[in-house]
Amino acid sequence: MITNENKEKFNNIIGKIYQINSSKGIGTYNEKTLHKVIKSYYEENEDFQEIKVDGYVADIFKNNNIIEIQTRAFNKLVNKLDIFLKKYKVNVIYPIAYNKYISWIDENTFEEKSYRKSPKVGKITDVILELYKIKKFLNNPNLKITLLFIDIKELRYLNGWSKDKKKGSHRANQIPINLIDEIILDDYSIFVPSKDIDFTSKEYAKTMKITIHRAQVILNILKYLNIIEVIRKEKRSNIYKYKK
């Protein structure tokens, strides 16, 4: 649970890193500002950051525990997890934009041209596609997944292929604004909306307000984890039921 103390700590770290980046100018921003802020939030002492462990570099390594901050592409974690989980507890931190504010900037002058708030609000199902990439590790007792909900300002260059130069544009940076919540995925049955009602993938998608593709992915994961089971088939649809 996020406390006011947690939020104050997070905001202080944002201030320090943002001040350093601002002094360099937006044109020299490191694209991983979000990563840097989160890493410092979980461990401010740089002596424990970027540590080589068994042939791989861990974001944080302290007291035989590893923290990996992964903003996307969980497939890049597979080789690391194959090694790390044999000996260490690993906490994978996945940031989710709760509220996203998009700032469109000129890629030559770095002047802000427009600014808007995205209508999308982050939710736990945003991690589904990433979880599938490391599905085989999800029942490993040494692995923990932490979802970190953050308000984010995203800077995007106006260099896309569309007339307004927004479609196909490149992201310049993601800047954390505020820490909202932290959810530890220690029980994947959180993705089962009802423990008593049988359902199809289409019904699941409608209930969870996600696409049918995402619904099929998470149902695949839940079935793999032995949380749900297929109890029968009606026409061409599997009927699922909560198992535990």
Side-chain angles (χ1 to χ4, degrees), residues 84-97:
F84 289 167
L85 291 173
K86 292 175 183 176
K87 297 166 60 177
Y88 310 106
K89 298 284 187 181
V90 180
N91 186 4
V92 176
I93 312 296
Y94 182 66
I96 293 176

Side-chain angles (χ1 to χ4, degrees), residues 39-164:
K39 183 168 59 177
S40 295
Y41 172 69
Y42 282 96
E43 181 51 63
E44 289 190 83
N45 190 336
E46 293 185 0
D47 290 341
F48 300 108
Q49 298 179 3
E50 304 299 322
I51 304 299
K52 195 165 185 178
V53 181
D54 294 347
Y56 291 93
V57 176
D59 286 327
I60 298 169
F61 182 66
K62 186 176 182 181
N63 299 327
N64 277 339
N65 289 301
I66 290 173
I67 294 178
E68 285 289 316
I69 297 102
Q70 199 72 16
T71 57
R72 57 182 176 175
F74 273 28
N75 52 293
K76 294 181 179 179
L77 286 173
V78 172
N79 291 338
K80 280 186 175 183
L81 293 177
D82 265 329
I83 301 300
F84 289 167
L85 291 173
K86 292 175 183 176
K87 297 166 60 177
Y88 310 106
K89 298 284 187 181
V90 180
N91 186 4
V92 176
I93 312 296
Y94 182 66
I96 293 176
Y98 185 72
N99 290 302
K100 183 187 286 186
Y101 303 85
I102 301 174
S103 175
W104 295 97
I105 57 178
D106 186 288
E107 65 176 336
N108 296 311
T109 64
F110 309 116
E111 178 185 357
E112 183 178 89
K113 295 297 185 179
S114 63
Y115 183 81
R116 71 175 178 86
K117 181 180 181 294
S118 170
K120 181 182 176 182
V121 176
K123 50 187 180 180
I124 62 169
T125 49
D126 290 347
V127 74
I128 286 172
L129 300 183
E130 297 300 335
L131 289 179
Y132 183 78
K133 299 170 186 176
I134 58 168
K135 181 176 74 169
K136 68 177 182 178
F137 301 111
L138 295 181
N139 55 8
N140 189 308
N142 283 339
L143 177 66
K144 179 167 72 173
I145 308 288
T146 300
L147 308 182
L148 204 63
F149 289 84
I150 303 169
D151 285 345
I152 290 174
K153 180 179 181 180
E154 181 169 290
L155 309 181
R156 299 197 71 91
Y157 291 125
L158 284 168
N159 61 0
W161 49 263
S162 63
K163 187 176 180 179
D164 62 5

